Amino acid sequence: MASSAVTDVLFYAFAALTLLCAVLVVANPFNRNPVTSAMFLVLTIISMSGLFLLLHAFFLAAVQILVYAGAVIVLFLFVIMLLDLKEEQRRRIKFFGAVAGLLSVGLITAIFFKILHHTNLNEHPLPTVEGDTASLGKLLFTQYILPFEVVSILLLVAMIGVIMLSKKDLK
Amino acid sequence: MHVGLEHFLTVSFLLFALGLLGVIIRRNLIVMYMSLELMLNAANLALVSFSRFNDKLDGQVLVFFIITVAAAEVAVGLALIVALYRKRQTAHVEDLNSMKL
Amino acid sequence: MKHELFPWLILFLPLLSATVIALFTLRSKTISSLISIGAVVAGFVLTVLFISANGFHVNAETSKNWLSIGAETSKNWSSTDGITGLQVDFGLKLDALSLMMLLIVTGVGGLIHIYSYAYMDEDDSKARFFAFLSLFTFSMLGIVLSNNFLQMFIFWELVGVSSYLLIGFWYGKPSAGDAAKKAFITNRLGDFGFLLGILTIWGVLGSLNFGELQSIFAAHSATLLSAGVITIAGLLIFCGAVGKSAQFPLHVWLADAMEGPTPVSALIHAATMVAAGVYMLCRVFFLLNADALHVIAYIGGFTALLAALIAVQQNDIKRIIAYSTLSQLGYMVMAVGLNGQTAAMFHLTTHAFFKALLFLAAGSVILGMHHEQDIWHMGNLRKKMPITFITFLIGALALSGIPPFSGFYSKDSIFAQCLEQKNYLLFGVAALVAGLTAFYTFRLFFVVFFGKEKSDHAKHAHESSLVITVPLVVLAVFAAIGGFIGVVNYYGSQFTPDHETLTFVQQLMEPLKTPVPMCIGIAVALIGIFLAFSIYKNADTDPLPAKLGVLSTAMKNRFYFDEIYEATFIRAHDTIAAICGAIDRFLLEGFIIGIIRGGTDLSGRGLRLLQTGNLQTYAFLFVLGVALVLYFVLGK
């Protein structure tokens, strides 16, 4: 399997990039500006969509880039620009907070990996499912039509809520 | 070694852990939000890989919904932050202590 | 039995009146007093109708089951399998005893109600007064009509409460408030014994119903009456009478209770409430054995003597009559103790007439004298208050036991009872008290109505209105003829089965059957009156203190009973209360509550530290929780 070697390499590359960028989002040792964090979040998301491609989830990879890297990140940046957040750069991460965070996160991760280690993953030898637009769309508009409509209402409600919240004379 | 489900899950777990770490140690509401997004994406990644390796497309549909809900959540959350900032001139959780005695 | 509803109506009309007044008509003096008078007069009319329809000897009970605890079968007194259950009825017992008392309470009470209408006219709280009067009448009727111990005890306490309210009616006066408290607490002491007695009776015999108890006693009289526990029960029940009827050593409240309005003194402290103790003793006479009766007789005799001595040196018109009441109550209790229930109830009835009369007449004098109560500020009132003068004279003659007034007959029956029981000591006491009674009564009489006017008020005294004098006249008529209108027949037939009904003439001549006590009684009374006449005919001040010296001072100060009680019981009680208070304050409140409160406070402060208000801390704790849950659910 020649292509498998290529996908392996690509996987490691994308995974490394994703994790590295995520680290820089969370704790950038050089710069604590939220804008930087947001930029690294974009990178994280883009490299994640690469991972999605490796999993043959083509449609989701596209949506990931469109929705996240496009809309969501723009929203973040917009808000960051709206607020004056230079203040953040002067604040340090507290030692106790960092220790506590590392401790708890370490605990959870340890549990995850323990489970992963003990679980017998009966791997499909040759995954054949393709996450292309046509098959996903078919599923979405047949079996999942009701959740699809509900989610559209959710978006509408969120939109109205945001408009209400952003009015100046919010009591 | 051939890349399998456990590799993707490992990445997903680590990503989730990073997001969680960000929520705990960062004190800026916006960065905390970004960390939350990281955690959501970690879940997405796990779901997509489950979907792929179980030969079922339903997981991807779920991811689609998660992305939608996350978008709505980000919109509302950021609007809240803006409103809060207008009132308190801060987006820093340590300054939001009016609930404290 | 005809008119079965009437007794219930008689009992509950005053309660209804009290409720209506308290809830609706408190604003209007006139309507309130008319409602109250109407209730008691209607009660009197209903009583008369009931008696004329059924006669005195109904011997019936009408009852509703009211309270049952435990098994429904009542316990056989001789069984040893413990207490099985309590069954209490709300019932009315109707026999000659209760019907006569019913007549007294509604009749004399009704006259006093009418009298109060005028007497309390100037008082702003007249409506409240009448509400209390009605409540009292209801309670008293409840005692009279009860067919079991528990019900009687409840009404007994109600009488205590309503007398508390009435004595303290002028609560603005500290002395009235103190007197009310004293009366209530002293009564409570007696009532405690009464309750213990009731519990003893129930524990031993398993029934509280008078009729059932009487049949139990009739069936097992030999074993029961010699039992020590019955003596104890009898004495404990007598404690209740000691409290209510103000016998030594709980006699101290009655004189102070004169702080209440005069109609209250007449109603409560002459005709009804204090009679309740004697009535109760007669009601439960069957369970008093010889030992208990002995104690009762001597306590009665001692109280009679003590009170008569004190009365000789009092100067407050109402207090003199109050001590005379004590003394007469002592007579009644003594008569009960000498197996003379008939004599006791006879004296109770005539006493209700002439003592209510004396109190009301004294009230009339007090009104005429503009609320002056010291007899040494009065004098020569006979011209200015002729009706009061004559009625008071009749009452005084009846109280002193001069024939043919009612007191003569009833007192003579007590004397005769003493001699019949061959108790010459108590007969001597009774004769001495009779002499003293005549003496202090006419001392009061001469000082108030003869001699010179000793103050300005006396010079400007005036006769009271018709609403006051009419009850006086009615009572005076009964005080005069009460001895031979058949009262003794009804009681006699209640207590002695082979009692023969006496004709009018026989009643008139009854004392002649026992000439010795009659002669002695008349002689001591005449001696007493003569002494009073010779000493007080024209006295401006009391010449007795100079002659008697220390004894007079002691009498005047009521033999220092209040002071003795103050120094012993009340002081001891205060000490105990102070110790309890200190324990409460320092040990309970300071130490234990301090620890609990302080502990709560400290842990609260500690726990508050967890509520940092910091989002990160919460997130951290939240993640720890998630980790814990995950560990238990998946990771083990």
Side-chain angles (χ1 to χ4, degrees):
Chain A
M1 264 165 93
S3 65
S4 93
V6 178
T7 43
D8 283 6
V9 170
L10 279 174
F11 168 76
Y12 287 118
F14 279 133
L17 192 60
T18 306
L19 291 176
L20 182 71
C21 293
V23 168
L24 291 173
V25 169
V26 171
N28 191 333
F30 313 108
N31 191 343
R32 248 183 303 285
N33 194 329
V35 181
T36 325
S37 292
M39 287 309 166
F40 280 112
L41 186 61
V42 177
L43 274 182
T44 316
I45 283 164
I46 291 173
S47 47
M48 265 191 73
S49 65
L51 286 176
F52 283 2
L53 282 176
L54 290 179
L55 288 166
H56 293 246
F58 307 117
F59 175 69
L60 283 183
V63 167
Q64 179 89 349
I65 290 176
L66 281 175
V67 174
Y68 266 112
V72 172
I73 295 303
V74 165
L75 205 58
F76 268 112
L77 288 174
F78 183 66
V79 170
I80 292 166
M81 300 305 176
L82 198 67
L83 316 177
D84 174 27
L85 291 174
K86 292 215 180 77
E87 170 77 8
E88 175 66 15
Q89 298 181 20
R90 270 176 267 130
R91 306 232 186 187
R92 307 228 143 250
I93 292 173
K94 287 188 176 164
F95 176 72
F96 176 75
V99 169
L102 285 171
L103 188 76
S104 53
V105 171
L107 260 175
I108 286 211
T109 322
I111 291 171
F112 280 156
F113 281 113
K114 195 174 166 219
I115 298 163
L116 189 60
H117 188 250
H118 286 288
T119 316
N120 181 26
L121 300 170
N122 55 341
E123 227 173 275
H124 211 280
L126 272 175
T128 52
V129 70
E130 296 287 325
D132 58 322
T133 317
S135 49
L136 204 61
K138 200 182 254 172
L139 204 56
L140 209 51
F141 287 108
T142 54
Q143 199 182 339
Y144 289 97
I145 182 72
L146 182 67
F148 182 77
E149 295 298 340
V150 171
V151 159
S152 68
I153 292 175
L154 175 79
L155 280 175
L156 180 68
V157 170
M159 191 172 77
I160 296 170
V162 167
I163 292 169
M164 287 301 295
L165 282 171
S166 340
K167 284 175 86 172
K168 277 269 185 211
D169 53 352
L170 180 74
K171 288 280 182 295
Chain B
M1 182 187 158
H2 186 70
V3 172
L5 178 56
E6 66 266 33
H7 294 82
F8 283 100
L9 285 182
T10 306
V11 175
S12 163
F13 289 166
L14 288 174
L15 203 58
F16 183 85
L18 281 169
L20 199 57
L21 190 66
V23 170
I24 293 179
I25 65 173
R26 294 303 293 263
R27 271 132 222 276
N28 186 302
L29 274 176
I30 292 179
V31 180
M32 286 169 81
Y33 244 93
M34 292 180 201
S35 306
L36 280 177
E37 292 304 322
L38 278 184
M39 288 164 77
L40 276 173
N41 272 304
N44 284 352
L45 182 56
L47 278 170
V48 171
S49 44
F50 282 137
S51 157
R52 167 77 179 161
F53 289 98
N54 280 329
D55 254 353
K56 271 187 163 176
L57 213 51
D58 302 52
Q60 297 199 11
V61 177
L62 194 53
V63 170
F64 175 77
F65 286 136
I66 291 178
I67 291 174
T68 325
V69 172
E73 174 234 328
V74 164
V76 174
L78 288 176
L80 280 172
I81 291 174
V82 169
L84 191 69
Y85 188 84
R86 271 201 209 124
K87 227 173 177 65
R88 307 289 295 267
Q89 302 304 317
T90 183
H92 207 268
V93 289
E94 278 178 343
D95 300 333
L96 304 176
N97 54 4
S98 59
M99 294 276 280
K100 202 176 169 183
L101 276 170
Chain C
M1 182 170 61
K2 290 175 230 160
H3 306 313
E4 201 170 335
L5 196 62
F6 279 13
W8 295 97
L9 276 179
I10 297 167
L11 175 60
F12 282 104
L13 271 179
L15 178 64
L16 183 70
S17 141
T19 318
V20 167
I21 295 174
L23 291 182
F24 302 112
T25 66
L26 216 47
R27 294 280 169 75
S28 165
K29 288 191 200 176
T30 318
I31 297 177
S32 305
S33 40
L34 289 181
I35 290 173
S36 177
I37 293 171
V40 66
V41 169
F44 180 68
V45 172
L46 289 175
T47 312
V48 171
L49 286 178
F50 184 81
I51 292 171
S52 56
N54 293 296
F56 269 103
H57 300 290
V58 203
N59 276 332
E61 283 189 31
T62 159
S63 65
K64 303 268 179 289
N65 187 289
W66 171 48
L67 173 75
S68 50
I69 298 166
E72 294 214 348
T73 50
S74 71
K75 179 193 161 195
N76 182 5
W77 71 274
S78 54
S79 73
T80 48
D81 54 354
I83 292 159
T84 52
L86 171 64
Q87 188 109 33
V88 181
D89 289 341
F90 192 96
L92 308 183
K93 193 170 182 63
L94 300 162
D95 54 11
L97 185 59
S98 60
L99 286 176
M100 275 307 288
M101 280 300 286
L102 216 55
L103 273 181
I104 297 171
V105 174
T106 55
V108 178
L111 288 172
I112 296 169
H113 272 68
I114 294 169
Y115 176 93
S116 311
Y117 181 81
Y119 191 87
M120 299 303 288
D121 212 21
E122 289 165 21
D123 201 293
D124 289 336
S125 318
K126 192 177 174 186
R128 181 165 62 91
F129 180 76
F130 273 98
F132 290 167
L133 270 191
S134 281
L135 180 65
F136 173 80
T137 310
F138 164 69
S139 328
M140 190 63 210
L141 290 172
I143 292 186
V144 169
L145 289 169
S146 292
N147 75 339
N148 64 67
F149 264 123
L150 189 64
Q151 188 189 342
M152 183 185 250
F153 183 76
I154 290 166
F155 281 107
W156 195 264
E157 292 299 319
L158 272 175
V159 163
V161 173
S162 42
S163 77
Y164 168 81
L165 293 171
L166 283 168
I167 295 168
F169 177 70
W170 286 319
Y171 53 80
K173 279 198 299 185
S175 59
D178 290 345
K181 258 192 303 190
K182 188 172 178 181
F184 190 72
I185 293 169
T186 317
N187 264 302
R188 287 294 309 143
L189 285 177
D191 296 348
F192 183 62
F194 188 29
L195 185 58
L196 288 182
I198 292 173
L199 291 175
T200 314
I201 288 292
W202 185 65
V204 177
L205 301 173
S207 172
L208 291 176
N209 185 290
F210 294 136
E212 281 175 30
L213 286 172
Q214 192 157 15
S215 47
I216 292 173
F217 269 90
H220 308 275
S221 61
T223 32
L224 276 179
L225 285 179
S226 58
V229 66
I230 294 298
T231 312
I232 293 168
L235 287 176
L236 284 171
I237 286 171
F238 176 57
C239 280
V242 167
K244 272 282 176 295
S245 287
Q247 297 299 295
F248 173 82
L250 299 181
H251 64 280
V252 288
W253 67 269
L254 187 60
D256 285 15
M258 295 303 128
E259 290 292 342
T262 308
V264 172
S265 311
L267 180 64
I268 297 187
H269 310 123
T272 54
M273 170 173 163
V274 291
V278 178
Y279 168 81
M280 186 268 283
L281 286 180
C282 292
R283 172 61 79 203
V284 303
F285 188 79
F286 53 85
L287 57 77
L288 303 170
N289 61 14
D291 297 336
L293 286 176
H294 234 68
V295 176
I296 293 173
Y298 281 100
I299 286 191
F302 184 69
T303 310
L305 182 60
L306 182 77
L309 283 172
I310 295 173
V312 168
Q313 277 297 295
Q314 296 299 309
N315 293 327
D316 183 310
I317 183 166
K318 279 174 74 182
R319 275 180 189 260
I320 298 174
I321 306 178
Y323 277 107
S324 135
T325 306
L326 270 178
S327 173
Q328 302 303 312
L329 285 167
Y331 264 133
M332 297 172 208
V333 171
M334 183 177 83
V336 172
L338 294 170
N339 278 322
Q341 312 105 288
T342 311
M345 287 308 293
F346 187 22
H347 196 54
L348 190 156
T349 311
T350 58
H351 176 257
F353 292 140
F354 63 69
K355 192 50 64 67
L357 168 63
L358 285 174
F359 264 119
L360 294 187
S364 171
V365 169
I366 292 168
L367 264 191
M369 292 288 298
H370 302 283
H371 296 280
E372 174 61 61
Q373 300 197 4
D374 191 333
I375 57 171
W376 295 103
H377 292 159
M378 300 175 183
N380 205 16
L381 292 178
R382 70 179 182 281
K383 300 261 170 53
K384 297 189 179 79
M385 309 179 80
I387 299 176
T388 309
F389 167 66
I390 298 211
T391 50
F392 194 97
L393 175 62
I394 293 171
L397 288 171
L399 173 58
S400 308
I402 300 295
F405 296 99
S406 57
F408 165 67
Y409 289 93
S410 54
K411 212 176 264 188
D412 182 72
S413 65
I414 293 177
F415 289 172
Q417 191 69 31
C418 289
L419 284 187
E420 198 187 311
Q421 297 287 316
K422 309 238 182 317
N423 198 326
Y424 299 108
L425 172 66
L426 283 180
F427 178 72
V429 169
L432 177 59
V433 171
L436 286 170
T437 306
F439 177 72
Y440 66 69
T441 312
F442 278 87
R443 165 180 179 261
L444 166 67
F445 177 73
F446 287 124
V447 170
V448 170
F449 290 102
F450 287 84
K452 292 198 294 284
E453 294 96 337
K454 301 173 191 70
S455 73
D456 285 345
H457 281 321
K459 285 177 188 140
H460 302 112
H462 55 83
E463 182 59 281
S464 307
S465 68
L466 217 57
V467 187
I468 286 185
T469 49
V470 167
L472 286 182
V473 172
V474 174
L475 280 172
V477 168
F478 279 100
I481 65 167
F484 39 80
I485 51 170
V487 175
V488 72
N489 279 339
Y490 303 125
Y491 288 135
S493 56
Q494 165 89 11
F495 295 116
T496 41
D498 54 347
H499 178 87
E500 50 189 280
T501 309
L502 303 171
T503 63
F504 179 72
V505 179
Q506 276 177 316
Q507 290 179 44
L508 211 54
M509 296 301 144
E510 175 76 4
L512 288 174
K513 282 191 200 159
T514 49
V516 179
M518 182 191 79
C519 293
I520 293 178
I522 297 176
V524 291
L526 288 177
I527 292 171
I529 294 174
F530 176 73
L531 278 176
F533 177 76
S534 56
I535 296 177
Y536 293 104
K537 174 76 179 73
N538 282 313
D540 287 342
T541 53
D542 197 343
L544 267 191
K547 292 180 189 164
L548 293 176
V550 182
L551 184 59
S552 160
T553 324
M555 287 174 179
K556 198 171 222 141
N557 290 305
R558 306 176 289 277
F559 292 106
Y560 301 103
F561 272 107
D562 283 333
E563 285 75 8
I564 293 169
Y565 287 168
E566 184 87 34
T568 51
F569 296 114
I570 297 177
R571 183 71 56 80
H573 183 267
D574 283 353
T575 315
I576 294 170
I579 293 171
C580 291
I583 288 175
D584 188 44
R585 189 165 308 132
F586 296 112
L587 195 68
L588 293 182
E589 201 171 305
F591 195 61
I592 295 177
I593 296 186
I595 284 179
I596 293 171
R597 190 203 64 80
T600 316
D601 190 44
L602 215 66
S603 49
R605 278 165 194 278
L607 287 172
R608 205 175 74 174
L609 293 179
L610 286 180
Q611 298 292 326
T612 55
N614 187 332
L615 202 53
Q616 257 74 27
T617 318
Y618 295 148
F620 170 60
L621 291 173
F622 171 68
V623 170
L624 277 189
V626 170
L628 213 62
V629 171
L630 278 179
Y631 177 72
F632 278 112
V633 173
L634 302 167
K636 239 195 289 199

